[in-house]
Amino acid sequence: MTFAEGLITIYDKLDDNWRLPKDVSLIFPFSDPDVKTYLNAFYSRYFNDNKKRFFLFGINPGRFGAGLTGVPFTDPVILQERCDISNNAVKKNELSSAFIYEMIDYLGGLEFFYSRFYISSVCPLGFIKSGKNYNYYDDQELLNATIPYIIKWIDDQLNLPHFSNKAFSLGQGKNYKFLNKLNNDHGWFDEIIPLPHPRWVMQYRRKFKNIYLDEYQQKLVVG
Protein backbone atom coordinates (compact mmCIF):
# COMPACT_ATOMS: atom_id res chain seq x y z
CA MET A 1 0.00 0.00 0.00
CA THR A 2 1.37 3.40 -0.94
CA PHE A 3 1.43 6.47 1.26
CA ALA A 4 -1.48 7.85 -0.80
CA GLU A 5 -3.58 4.70 -0.49
CA GLY A 6 -3.02 4.50 3.24
CA LEU A 7 -3.91 8.14 3.75
CA ILE A 8 -7.03 7.97 1.59
CA THR A 9 -8.18 5.00 3.65
CA ILE A 10 -7.80 7.09 6.80
CA TYR A 11 -9.83 9.93 5.28
CA ASP A 12 -12.52 7.48 4.20
CA LYS A 13 -13.00 6.49 7.84
CA LEU A 14 -13.69 10.04 9.02
CA ASP A 15 -17.31 10.80 9.83
CA ASP A 16 -19.32 13.77 11.03
CA ASN A 17 -20.84 12.12 14.09
CA TRP A 18 -19.00 14.38 16.51
CA ARG A 19 -20.51 15.63 19.76
CA LEU A 20 -19.74 19.33 19.92
CA PRO A 21 -20.89 22.35 21.92
CA LYS A 22 -24.30 23.41 20.60
CA ASP A 23 -23.07 26.73 19.17
CA VAL A 24 -20.25 25.13 17.14
CA SER A 25 -20.77 23.40 13.80
CA LEU A 26 -18.48 21.01 11.98
CA ILE A 27 -16.72 21.53 8.66
CA PHE A 28 -17.04 18.15 6.99
CA PRO A 29 -16.35 18.28 3.24
CA PHE A 30 -15.60 14.59 2.82
CA SER A 31 -19.18 13.50 2.17
CA ASP A 32 -19.01 15.44 -1.11
CA PRO A 33 -18.02 13.12 -4.01
CA ASP A 34 -16.22 16.02 -5.71
CA VAL A 35 -14.04 16.62 -2.65
CA LYS A 36 -13.17 12.92 -2.55
CA THR A 37 -12.14 13.19 -6.20
CA TYR A 38 -9.89 16.20 -5.51
CA LEU A 39 -8.32 14.54 -2.49
CA ASN A 40 -7.67 11.27 -4.33
CA ALA A 41 -6.18 13.10 -7.32
CA PHE A 42 -3.88 15.22 -5.15
CA TYR A 43 -2.47 12.44 -3.02
CA SER A 44 -2.21 9.99 -5.90
CA ARG A 45 -0.15 12.57 -7.78
CA TYR A 46 2.29 13.58 -5.04
CA PHE A 47 2.29 10.66 -2.58
CA ASN A 48 2.15 7.59 -4.82
CA ASP A 49 5.15 5.93 -3.15
CA ASN A 50 6.34 4.55 0.18
CA LYS A 51 8.82 7.27 1.11
CA LYS A 52 9.13 8.43 4.67
CA ARG A 53 8.08 12.05 5.20
CA PHE A 54 8.33 14.67 7.90
CA PHE A 55 4.92 15.63 9.26
CA LEU A 56 3.74 19.24 9.54
CA PHE A 57 0.64 19.83 11.67
CA GLY A 58 -1.59 22.84 11.12
CA ILE A 59 -4.52 23.64 13.39
CA ASN A 60 -7.70 22.39 11.69
CA PRO A 61 -9.27 22.86 8.22
CA GLY A 62 -10.76 26.26 7.39
CA ARG A 63 -13.79 27.18 5.31
CA PHE A 64 -11.91 28.41 2.25
CA GLY A 65 -9.02 25.94 2.07
CA ALA A 66 -9.31 22.29 3.03
CA GLY A 67 -12.96 22.94 3.84
CA LEU A 68 -13.55 23.23 0.09
CA THR A 69 -10.85 20.97 -1.40
CA GLY A 70 -10.16 18.40 1.32
CA VAL A 71 -6.42 19.14 0.98
CA PRO A 72 -4.73 21.02 3.85
CA PHE A 73 -3.57 24.57 3.06
CA THR A 74 -4.70 24.19 -0.56
CA ASP A 75 -7.53 26.44 -1.67
CA PRO A 76 -9.53 25.81 -4.89
CA VAL A 77 -7.52 28.38 -6.87
CA ILE A 78 -4.18 26.84 -5.95
CA LEU A 79 -5.48 23.31 -6.41
CA GLN A 80 -6.38 24.16 -10.00
CA GLU A 81 -3.62 26.58 -10.98
CA ARG A 82 -0.65 25.12 -9.12
CA CYS A 83 -1.53 21.46 -8.68
CA ASP A 84 -3.31 21.20 -12.05
CA ILE A 85 -6.35 19.55 -10.49
CA SER A 86 -9.55 20.96 -11.94
CA ASN A 87 -12.33 21.54 -9.44
CA ASN A 88 -15.82 22.97 -9.21
CA ALA A 89 -15.35 24.54 -5.79
CA VAL A 90 -15.98 28.25 -5.33
CA LYS A 91 -12.72 29.91 -6.28
CA LYS A 92 -11.81 31.43 -2.95
CA ASN A 93 -8.27 32.50 -2.10
CA GLU A 94 -6.95 31.70 1.37
CA LEU A 95 -4.04 33.59 2.92
CA SER A 96 -2.56 30.47 4.50
CA SER A 97 -2.58 28.64 1.17
CA ALA A 98 -0.80 31.53 -0.53
CA PHE A 99 2.03 31.46 2.01
CA ILE A 100 2.37 27.67 2.00
CA TYR A 101 2.74 27.48 -1.76
CA GLU A 102 5.16 30.40 -1.85
CA MET A 103 7.16 28.54 0.80
CA ILE A 104 7.01 25.34 -1.25
CA ASP A 105 8.44 27.21 -4.26
CA TYR A 106 11.08 28.77 -2.02
CA LEU A 107 12.18 25.33 -0.88
CA GLY A 108 12.34 23.81 -4.36
CA GLY A 109 8.88 23.24 -5.76
CA LEU A 110 5.96 20.85 -5.38
CA GLU A 111 7.72 17.62 -6.36
CA PHE A 112 10.64 18.31 -4.02
CA PHE A 113 8.49 19.39 -1.10
CA TYR A 114 5.80 16.73 -1.19
CA SER A 115 8.34 13.95 -1.65
CA ARG A 116 9.81 14.93 1.74
CA PHE A 117 6.96 16.50 3.71
CA TYR A 118 3.35 15.76 4.50
CA ILE A 119 1.06 18.56 5.70
CA SER A 120 -1.69 17.52 8.06
CA SER A 121 -3.52 19.19 10.95
CA VAL A 122 -3.80 18.48 14.63
CA CYS A 123 -7.56 18.16 14.29
CA PRO A 124 -8.85 16.46 11.12
CA LEU A 125 -12.04 18.53 10.86
CA GLY A 126 -12.69 22.24 11.18
CA PHE A 127 -15.31 24.27 12.98
CA ILE A 128 -17.53 27.29 12.50
CA LYS A 129 -18.94 29.52 15.21
CA SER A 130 -20.96 32.66 14.50
CA GLY A 131 -20.23 32.23 10.79
CA LYS A 132 -16.45 32.28 11.20
CA ASN A 133 -13.63 29.74 11.36
CA TYR A 134 -13.13 28.44 14.87
CA ASN A 135 -10.11 26.57 16.20
CA TYR A 136 -10.21 23.37 18.24
CA TYR A 137 -8.47 25.15 21.14
CA ASP A 138 -10.62 28.30 21.15
CA ASP A 139 -12.63 27.15 24.15
CA GLN A 140 -12.13 24.41 26.69
CA GLU A 141 -15.44 22.67 26.04
CA LEU A 142 -14.64 22.26 22.34
CA LEU A 143 -11.10 21.14 23.12
CA ASN A 144 -12.35 18.48 25.54
CA ALA A 145 -14.83 17.25 22.93
CA THR A 146 -12.21 16.93 20.20
CA ILE A 147 -9.29 15.34 22.07
CA PRO A 148 -10.34 11.69 21.46
CA TYR A 149 -10.75 12.38 17.72
CA ILE A 150 -7.40 14.16 17.57
CA ILE A 151 -5.55 11.30 19.24
CA LYS A 152 -7.08 8.70 16.94
CA TRP A 153 -6.37 10.86 13.88
CA ILE A 154 -2.69 11.22 14.73
CA ASP A 155 -2.35 7.57 15.75
CA ASP A 156 -3.84 6.48 12.42
CA GLN A 157 -1.50 8.69 10.43
CA LEU A 158 1.52 7.24 12.17
CA ASN A 159 0.83 4.01 10.31
CA LEU A 160 2.08 5.90 7.24
CA PRO A 161 5.81 6.01 6.45
CA HIS A 162 7.28 8.87 8.48
CA PHE A 163 10.33 10.19 10.29
CA SER A 164 9.81 10.00 14.03
CA ASN A 165 12.78 12.11 15.14
CA LYS A 166 10.83 15.33 14.64
CA ALA A 167 7.58 16.86 13.44
CA PHE A 168 6.55 20.46 12.97
CA SER A 169 3.75 22.62 14.33
CA LEU A 170 2.39 25.28 11.99
CA GLY A 171 1.78 27.76 14.75
CA GLN A 172 4.07 28.76 17.59
CA GLY A 173 1.40 29.46 20.20
CA LYS A 174 -1.57 27.39 21.26
CA ASN A 175 -1.28 24.81 18.47
CA TYR A 176 2.36 24.13 19.35
CA LYS A 177 1.67 24.05 23.09
CA PHE A 178 -1.18 21.56 22.73
CA LEU A 179 0.56 19.34 20.17
CA ASN A 180 3.77 19.32 22.20
CA LYS A 181 1.90 18.27 25.34
CA LEU A 182 0.08 15.49 23.50
CA ASN A 183 3.37 14.36 22.01
CA ASN A 184 5.00 14.27 25.43
CA ASP A 185 2.10 12.13 26.66
CA HIS A 186 2.05 9.73 23.69
CA GLY A 187 5.67 9.69 22.50
CA TRP A 188 4.84 10.04 18.81
CA PHE A 189 7.94 12.05 17.86
CA ASP A 190 11.24 12.85 19.54
CA GLU A 191 10.47 16.56 19.32
CA ILE A 192 7.97 19.05 17.94
CA ILE A 193 9.48 22.10 16.25
CA PRO A 194 7.30 25.23 16.01
CA LEU A 195 7.00 27.33 12.86
CA PRO A 196 5.14 30.62 12.37
CA HIS A 197 1.56 30.05 11.28
CA PRO A 198 1.08 30.97 7.60
CA ARG A 199 -1.99 33.11 8.22
CA TRP A 200 -0.27 35.02 11.01
CA VAL A 201 2.62 35.80 8.68
CA MET A 202 0.34 36.96 5.85
CA GLN A 203 -2.02 38.95 8.05
CA TYR A 204 0.38 40.62 10.46
CA ARG A 205 3.96 40.28 9.16
CA ARG A 206 3.62 40.25 5.38
CA LYS A 207 6.32 42.86 4.78
CA PHE A 208 8.74 40.58 6.66
CA LYS A 209 7.62 37.49 4.74
CA ASN A 210 11.08 36.64 3.44
CA ILE A 211 12.37 36.38 7.01
CA TYR A 212 9.77 33.69 7.70
CA LEU A 213 10.44 31.92 4.42
CA ASP A 214 14.09 31.75 5.48
CA GLU A 215 13.03 30.36 8.85
CA TYR A 216 10.99 27.63 7.17
CA GLN A 217 13.87 26.76 4.90
CA GLN A 218 16.35 26.59 7.76
CA LYS A 219 14.17 24.46 10.01
CA LEU A 220 12.73 22.16 7.35
CA VAL A 221 15.63 21.61 4.99
CA VAL A 222 18.74 22.40 7.00
CA GLY A 223 17.61 21.67 10.55
Side-chain angles (χ1 to χ4, degrees):
M1 182 179 291
T2 65
F3 192 110
E5 290 168 338
L7 182 57
I8 290 167
T9 297
I10 294 169
Y11 271 106
D12 284 342
K13 292 179 181 178
L14 290 175
D15 64 54
D16 60 355
N17 188 29
W18 289 31
R19 295 183 177 181
L20 301 176
K22 62 181 181 180
D23 55 347
V24 178
S25 58
L26 199 62
I27 297 174
F28 187 77
F30 305 109
S31 58
D32 185 336
D34 286 343
V35 171
K36 289 185 177 182
T37 297
Y38 310 150
L39 188 146
N40 289 358
F42 177 86
Y43 288 110
S44 296
R45 175 168 299 180
Y46 296 108
F47 293 80
N48 191 29
D49 55 53
N50 289 300
K51 293 180 180 177
K52 288 185 177 181
R53 289 171 169 86
F54 292 102
F55 284 16
L56 287 74
F57 291 95
I59 299 169
N60 44 241
R63 291 174 296 159
F64 301 134
L68 294 174
T69 66
V71 181
F73 290 96
T74 305
D75 65 37
V77 177
I78 284 175
L79 186 66
Q80 185 154 312
E81 295 182 357
R82 294 299 318 282
C83 305
D84 198 28
I85 296 173
S86 297
N87 63 86
N88 299 318
V90 177
K91 296 301 184 289
K92 294 276 190 179
N93 289 110
E94 184 189 51
L95 287 177
S96 295
S97 298
F99 178 85
I100 285 292
Y101 277 81
E102 188 167 346
M103 178 272 294
I104 287 172
D105 287 341
Y106 198 78
L107 267 59
L110 273 69
E111 298 291 343
F112 171 86
F113 183 84
Y114 285 127
S115 69
R116 293 162 175 79
F117 301 99
Y118 160 62
I119 300 179
S120 182
S121 55
V122 170
C123 187
L125 302 179
F127 311 96
I128 296 173
K129 182 176 181 179
S130 301
K132 297 180 180 180
N133 285 332
Y134 204 58
N135 298 319
Y136 70 86
Y137 53 65
D138 280 342
D139 72 63
Q140 191 63 45
E141 185 181 3
L142 178 60
L143 178 60
N144 292 342
T146 57
I147 284 175
Y149 304 106
I150 288 171
I151 292 172
K152 184 179 188 311
W153 166 244
I154 296 177
D155 277 340
D156 286 348
Q157 289 173 101
L158 293 183
N159 291 317
L160 303 170
H162 68 282
F163 293 103
S164 60
N165 60 316
K166 58 185 174 182
F168 300 86
S169 166
L170 299 180
Q172 298 172 305
K174 293 180 180 179
N175 195 56
Y176 167 67
K177 182 179 179 180
F178 177 75
L179 178 60
N180 195 52
K181 181 183 185 304
L182 270 189
N183 185 62
N184 288 338
D185 292 342
H186 293 270
W188 292 318
F189 305 96
D190 292 347
E191 64 174 329
I192 304 293
I193 298 172
L195 289 163
H197 193 275
R199 184 174 182 85
W200 178 83
V201 173
M202 297 296 279
Q203 190 165 353
Y204 301 110
R205 297 290 189 273
R206 190 182 295 220
K207 65 180 180 180
F208 305 113
K209 183 173 58 178
N210 283 349
I211 293 174
Y212 298 108
L213 290 171
D214 285 341
E215 181 177 350
Y216 268 72
Q217 182 181 54
Q218 181 177 5
K219 289 184 176 179
L220 292 177
V221 179
V222 179

